[in-house]
């Protein structure tokens, strides 16, 4: 009588739960090591930081399903990302980098980095309105922190496309407003709260980095790359 072959039967009836246990542990191990590699920031020599003068009506992202203008229409460098945001209807300084650690540092709320905006508002701004903005105003999401606000002469900047809508016989005022918060549309809400709607908003500087580079204003829609020494200062700030 021929002998039975239990080995074949045992192999056929092997529990299916045994294989996933081994494969699952391997699957978990690979992404873990992969995440460790990805979390390591680029070295200083590999870190890149771009200063971009964002035009009006441009989104602070590289893709858009609706076909609107994005950063990709102006910057063709791969693997860099915006450090912070600037509203579509705002203009001016935007920093981009390939260093996630630096990106987080530049946008960390506890850093309280001052950002200065050149703001054109409707009306002749009163001293009491400036005092209110400097002291803090009550917004829907709470009181704004104290700000630095000064009247300035109309800055020598690029024309906006399209131009702002000015009403006849109503003057406008330019203000330099420095805040250390980053709430949604905060500057616009602050000026509206004191009775002076924002017509145009240009971010001029973030900390010690500004649109003024090597004695000249960065062209609207243009960008430049920081040197290694300038990047090192950003990392140490």
């Amino acid at each position: 009588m021929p002998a039975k072959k239990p080995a074949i039967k045992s192999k056929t009836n092997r529990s299916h739960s045994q294989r996933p246990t081994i494969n699952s542990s391997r699957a978990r191990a690979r992404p873990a090591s992969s995440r460790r590699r990805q979390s390591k920031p680029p070295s200083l020599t590999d870190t890149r930081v771009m200063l971009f003068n964002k035009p009006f009506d441009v989104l602070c992202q590289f893709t858009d399903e609706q076909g609107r203008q994005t950063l990709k229409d102006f910057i063709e460098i791969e693997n860099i990302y915006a450090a912070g945001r600037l509203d579509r209807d705002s203009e001016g300084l935007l920093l981009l980098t390939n260093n996630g650690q630096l990106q987080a540092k530049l946008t960390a709320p506890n850093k309280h980095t001052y950002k200065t905006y050149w703001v054109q508002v409707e009306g002749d701004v009163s001293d009491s309105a400036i005092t209110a903005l400097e002291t803090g105003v009550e917004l829907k999401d709470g009181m704004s922190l104290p700000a630095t606000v000064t009247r300035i002469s109309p800055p020598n900047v690029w024309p906006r496309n399209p131009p702002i809508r000015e009403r006849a016989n109503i003057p406008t005022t330019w203000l330099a407003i420095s805040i250390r918060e980053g709430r949604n549309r905060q500057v616009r809400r602050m000026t509206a709260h004191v009775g002076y709607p924002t017509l145009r908003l240009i971010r001029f500087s973030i900390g010690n980095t500004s649109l003024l580079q090597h004695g000249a204003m960065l062209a609207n829609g243009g960008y430049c790359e920081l040197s290694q020494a300038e990047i090192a200062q950003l990392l140490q700030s």
Side-chain angles (χ1 to χ4, degrees):
M1 185 176 184
K4 294 181 180 180
K5 299 180 179 179
I8 298 175
K9 185 177 180 181
S10 174
K11 191 173 184 178
T12 305
N13 293 339
R14 182 183 298 164
S15 170
H16 291 288
S17 63
Q18 294 175 347
R19 287 194 299 265
T21 301
I22 297 172
N23 291 343
S24 177
S25 64
R26 289 176 179 171
R28 285 195 298 269
R30 282 194 296 267
S33 61
S34 176
R35 283 194 298 271
R36 284 194 295 270
R37 288 194 299 271
Q38 292 173 1
S39 64
K40 184 178 180 181
S43 65
L44 176 60
T45 55
D46 293 329
T47 294
R48 304 186 71 181
V49 178
M50 307 294 163
L51 274 59
F52 177 53
N53 187 349
K54 188 187 87 66
F56 177 82
D57 204 30
V58 174
L59 295 171
C60 279
Q61 56 199 50
F62 282 90
T63 59
D64 180 60
E65 294 179 355
Q66 300 179 39
R68 295 170 294 183
Q69 277 195 311
T70 68
L71 300 177
K72 190 175 182 180
D73 294 302
F74 301 88
I75 303 172
E76 297 181 352
I77 301 170
E78 295 184 350
N79 300 320
I80 60 169
Y81 306 94
R85 300 190 64 81
L86 195 56
D87 293 329
R88 181 183 174 189
D89 54 355
S90 298
E91 308 160 70
L93 182 62
L94 183 70
L95 299 182
L96 301 99
T97 181
N98 64 338
N99 188 319
Q101 188 178 71
L102 178 58
Q103 182 186 34
K105 179 184 177 70
L106 293 171
T107 56
N110 60 355
K111 288 294 292 181
H112 296 301
T113 302
Y114 273 95
K115 303 174 184 67
T116 297
Y117 299 85
W118 290 344
V119 190
Q120 186 179 14
V121 300
E122 186 176 76
D124 186 5
V125 179
S126 66
D127 291 341
S128 60
I130 290 179
T131 299
L133 291 172
E134 290 182 322
T135 305
V137 295
E138 183 69 43
L139 304 176
K140 287 184 178 181
D141 50 359
M143 287 288 294
S144 63
L145 293 177
T148 301
V149 184
T150 56
R151 294 184 186 88
I152 60 173
S153 300
N156 184 21
V157 294
W158 57 93
R160 203 190 78 167
N161 184 25
I164 64 167
R165 294 182 180 179
E166 296 187 59
R167 294 194 289 176
N169 303 319
I170 298 181
T172 66
T173 304
W174 280 90
L175 302 171
I177 301 179
S178 297
I179 61 173
R180 54 192 176 99
E181 300 178 274
R183 303 190 213 175
N184 184 43
R185 301 181 72 79
Q186 180 173 344
V187 172
R188 295 177 187 276
R189 291 190 290 141
M190 288 171 61
T191 65
H193 182 87
V194 295
Y196 300 93
T198 291
L199 301 174
R200 188 177 184 187
L201 189 149
I202 300 170
R203 184 158 64 193
F204 172 69
S205 65
I206 300 173
N208 295 323
T209 306
S210 77
L211 289 175
L212 196 61
Q213 292 292 309
H214 309 292
M217 187 72 73
L218 185 62
N220 191 227
Y223 66 89
C224 67
E225 186 164 4
L226 292 185
S227 66
Q228 292 297 312
E230 292 169 324
I231 294 173
Q233 288 180 348
L234 273 181
L235 288 167
Q236 293 169 5
S237 63

